[in-house]
Amino acid sequence: MRAIRFETTGGPDVLQAIEIETPTPGPGQILVRHQAIGINFIETYQRTGLYPVKLPAIPGGEAAGVVEALGEGVTRFKVGDRVGTTNASGAYAEASLVRADRAVAIPDGISVEVAAAVLLKGMTTEAFVRRTYPVKAGETVLVHAAVGGVGQIMTQWLKAIGATVIATVGSEAKAEKARALGADHVILYREQDVAAEVRRITNGAGVPVAYDSVGKDTFEGTLASLARRGLFVSFGNASGPVPPFAPARLAAGGSLYLTRPTLVDYIVTAEELDESAGLVFDMVASGKIEIEIGQTFALGDARKAHEALESRATVGASLLIP
């Protein structure tokens, strides 16, 4: 089968198309024949070495497709079932092995493309707005990169539960998109002082929670946007990692909290995984969240996909199609 592999860390040019043997599922595993593969920023972090992985490596964890073979003891699925996962073993390939308890059934009415585009980003949103900080109706929330993959889903989810969303984007075209998604206030972070605008919008109070996937470039503005005892949810490094800082800064900012959550700790058991995925699929099926697949790339064009992602040229979700 075809796969994308990198043997050294570096830029998108280290991604190489190769041919490898199709794996055979072991006990408790399923072989999933991919029909769509989700592209996420975490793969760029692994490729550059920011998140170390064992080399050589086939990137990717999110994919959707059809169960082609079952390992010993698997009863959760049968051959031919449509499944999605965020835990594939090397998803940038035509097929991958997945632990059966790390895959979820794709319900009728949800396409494999939408499943591959929404699972990781949607469950991340579910975990962060329901469990990291249970956002309540009427609360005002700051969302950075509001028209990115997670940002689009998060903005719509927050609006569905009655929150007021302050969105940051990098251009007027993206500002229009954020408003169409339901954002109540939009800040052009390249042109405006984010913290000053947040304070103006909130009459000086700041926000109780801010979701920041950008990292280094937005860290200071996010910190200065929080209300007393506010929570900074840092979950990405699109502009680079946040530099070290003294914990005393949290005290000086108003007894603030900062967390660096990752989805894996919110879907530890099969029951947690099924519940989270079910809530995501329900939001999509109900029409409360629309999934925009902004761009698709052939599997062999993974390098172009990473270039587009890192240049912030993408809107919504990005997919590789085998």
Side-chain angles (χ1 to χ4, degrees), residues 29-275:
Q29 292 181 321
I30 58 176
L31 176 68
V32 180
R33 180 63 57 173
H34 298 161
Q35 295 175 331
I37 301 160
I39 305 171
N40 296 284
F41 251 106
I42 189 171
E43 287 110 53
T44 70
Y45 304 154
Q46 292 166 342
R47 191 205 72 230
T48 62
L50 179 62
Y51 290 2
V53 295
K54 183 179 179 180
L55 299 177
I58 297 173
E62 182 175 38
V66 176
V67 177
E68 190 168 278
L70 306 175
E72 182 183 352
V74 173
T75 58
R76 183 172 166 87
F77 301 106
K78 64 182 185 299
V79 172
D81 283 350
R82 299 190 316 146
V83 299
T85 182
T86 62
N87 200 243
S89 176
Y92 283 26
E94 292 180 320
S96 68
L97 295 178
V98 184
R99 276 175 41 195
D101 63 354
R102 294 290 89 194
V104 296
I106 301 173
D108 293 341
I110 303 289
S111 70
V112 288
E113 292 81 8
V114 167
V118 75
L119 262 181
L120 180 62
K121 302 170 187 71
M123 290 194 297
T124 296
T125 295
E126 180 278 320
F128 293 176
V129 306
R130 291 185 69 250
R131 291 183 279 165
T132 301
Y133 181 95
V135 179
K136 302 178 183 64
E139 288 189 304
T140 300
V141 177
L142 175 63
V143 178
H144 284 291
V147 299
V150 174
Q152 285 202 19
I153 297 171
M154 187 172 284
T155 298
Q156 293 178 85
W157 197 303
L158 289 166
K159 290 307 301 177
I161 61 179
T164 296
V165 176
I166 302 174
T168 76
V169 296
S171 68
E172 186 52 50
K174 289 187 175 182
E176 291 181 14
K177 180 65 180 178
R179 295 185 188 101
L181 290 167
D184 300 277
H185 307 276
V186 181
I187 300 171
L188 295 171
Y189 70 86
R190 291 192 177 103
E191 303 172 17
Q192 297 173 284
D193 182 320
V194 171
E197 284 298 298
V198 169
R199 294 291 173 181
R200 180 187 64 79
I201 292 165
T202 60
N203 295 317
V207 293
V209 62
Y211 296 99
D212 190 336
S213 62
V214 179
K216 177 172 64 69
D217 289 354
T218 51
F219 175 74
E220 294 292 341
T222 302
L223 203 63
S225 297
L226 291 169
R228 291 184 188 276
R229 301 189 303 279
L231 176 62
F232 187 142
V233 182
S234 174
F235 68 101
N237 307 285
S239 65
V242 173
F245 68 96
R249 290 201 58 194
L250 300 176
S255 299
L256 305 176
Y257 297 88
L258 186 147
T259 185
R260 184 62 169 83
T262 183
L263 174 61
V264 66
D265 292 318
Y266 289 82
I267 52 171
V268 177
T269 65
E271 291 75 20
E272 287 178 335
L273 174 65
D274 287 343
E275 180 181 15

